[in-house]
Amino acid sequence: MQNRIYKAIKLRFRRLKKFFRHGILKLILPRDFYFSTKGVCMCCDQEVVFTSYDSWLRDHFLCSKCRCIPRERALMLTIEEFFPNWVNLHVHESSPGKRGGSLKLKKHVKNYMQTQFYPKSTFGTIVQGFRNENLESQTFEDATFDLVITQDVMEHIYHPHKAFKEIARTLKPGGAYVFTVPLVNKHKKSEVWATLGDDGNPVFLKTPEYHGNPVDAKGSPVTMHWGFDIVDFIKESSGMNAQIISNYSKRHGILGEYNEVVICYKK
């Protein structure tokens, strides 16, 4: 009898939890869009429900367990497909997030180095738990890493040719750089969106645009609008051969715009 009561209470609790997670949101948010599907999350490796209450799936199609978004799942799917031994590699992730693939990498990769960019602090030192590094001029020795990862960072770099060259320098022969970046220009030529002013502030050549920054509440200025020609830019800047991977998968919750993953290989 007690076991039956316990099971009934547990079932009721699960229903209430589901309602508070999804039902209340339906009541308080606009009802002009709602999409949900079951699948497997590549970030938390669980059977989940992917849900969005906004038509811009790239930022709102969330995993019910770890709250990651499509581009984060696309990154991990690509890493697991192309680098199945990723847990045994020496990995550098620049500007890691606080969820999704960054947490998975930190949990499973023994030789995992996470860095952030604190321009007012000494590079190569530890600041707030992260090694402080400028992607354009790093303090790491040559051929340090098997894999370098960034997630939506390269649209915020003032001198991307320097960053790609530096990343190639820090990679071991045969290593790879895997990253996400919104390829908003697609078949059009990539455009410089902002340059660095003498006072250290962005000088926008187009409409000012900022994205979220995990270590700066002001956000990060958008400096580049990349197109598919980014692979040519990478080759010219660093000598690395690059390819663009498009993994659109309902089962893995990878839907919406700009979820491409770029892989660069060092010879």
Side-chain angles (χ1 to χ4, degrees):
M1 181 67 178
Q2 290 181 338
N3 190 40
R4 289 169 57 188
I5 295 174
Y6 172 76
K7 288 183 178 180
I9 293 174
K10 188 175 181 180
L11 178 61
R12 180 62 61 87
F13 177 77
R14 286 178 178 174
R15 289 175 177 173
L16 285 172
K17 185 177 180 181
K18 183 177 181 180
F19 173 75
F20 279 103
R21 179 180 294 167
H22 301 293
I24 286 182
L25 286 175
K26 289 183 181 180
L27 295 176
I28 64 177
L29 292 177
R31 301 188 183 189
D32 59 342
F33 186 86
Y34 171 75
F35 177 65
S36 181
T37 185
K38 294 181 179 180
V40 176
C41 177
M42 295 304 300
C43 292
C44 62
D45 297 315
Q46 298 186 70
E47 296 279 347
V48 301
V49 177
F50 301 112
T51 303
S52 179
Y53 296 90
D54 192 294
S55 58
W56 184 247
L57 298 182
R58 189 176 196 265
D59 294 325
H60 298 279
F61 196 32
L62 304 180
C63 166
S64 60
K65 299 292 185 181
C66 70
R67 314 304 287 172
C68 68
I69 56 179
R71 63 174 172 80
E72 296 167 336
R73 299 189 283 270
L75 178 87
M76 285 311 307
L77 178 60
T78 300
I79 289 174
E80 298 214 10
E81 286 185 346
F82 286 81
F83 309 95
N85 66 329
W86 59 274
V87 297
N88 299 315
L89 300 179
H90 285 74
V91 178
H92 168 208
E93 183 175 14
S94 174
S95 302
K98 299 178 181 179
R99 65 183 180 204
S102 293
L103 291 185
K104 183 174 181 177
L105 291 164
K106 184 177 180 180
K107 178 180 179 180
H108 295 288
V109 178
K110 180 180 179 181
N111 296 299
Y112 173 72
M113 171 62 68
Q114 54 183 354
T115 66
Q116 294 284 3
F117 176 55
Y118 298 98
K120 296 181 180 180
S121 299
T122 303
F123 293 114
T125 63
I126 303 300
V127 181
Q128 299 182 28
F130 299 91
R131 178 158 166 158
N132 186 26
E133 291 290 340
N134 179 356
L135 276 181
E136 297 179 7
S137 180
Q138 301 178 49
T139 65
F140 295 115
E141 295 182 0
D142 296 354
T144 299
F145 303 106
D146 300 298
L147 196 62
V148 174
I149 297 168
T150 63
Q151 300 185 56
D152 280 26
V153 170
M154 278 298 167
E155 73 271 32
H156 304 295
I157 302 296
Y158 286 108
H159 305 103
H161 62 286
K162 292 183 179 180
F164 286 122
K165 187 175 181 179
E166 272 290 273
I167 289 170
R169 179 186 67 78
T170 66
L171 282 172
K172 298 176 184 178
Y177 171 39
V178 183
F179 68 102
T180 61
V181 66
L183 301 176
V184 294
N185 277 21
K186 297 188 176 180
H187 293 287
K188 295 189 299 180
K189 186 178 180 180
S190 296
E191 300 174 273
V192 177
W193 211 253
T195 60
L196 182 63
D198 294 336
D199 59 357
N201 292 315
V203 177
F204 285 99
L205 308 179
K206 309 281 185 174
T207 304
E209 187 177 345
Y210 286 82
H211 293 168
N213 185 329
V215 298
D216 190 343
K218 294 185 299 183
S220 296
V222 172
T223 61
M224 292 291 299
H225 272 203
W226 291 106
F228 295 142
D229 62 354
I230 191 173
V231 296
D232 300 318
F233 186 96
I234 293 168
K235 179 68 174 179
E236 293 169 3
S237 301
S238 66
M240 293 188 293
N241 293 314
Q243 64 179 124
I244 298 171
I245 307 298
S246 295
N247 280 319
Y248 287 87
S249 168
K250 183 178 179 182
R251 173 170 171 75
H252 292 113
I254 305 172
L255 299 175
E257 284 279 14
Y258 312 135
N259 293 317
E260 292 87 0
V261 179
V262 184
I263 305 179
C264 312
Y265 295 97
K266 179 178 179 179
K267 295 180 180 179

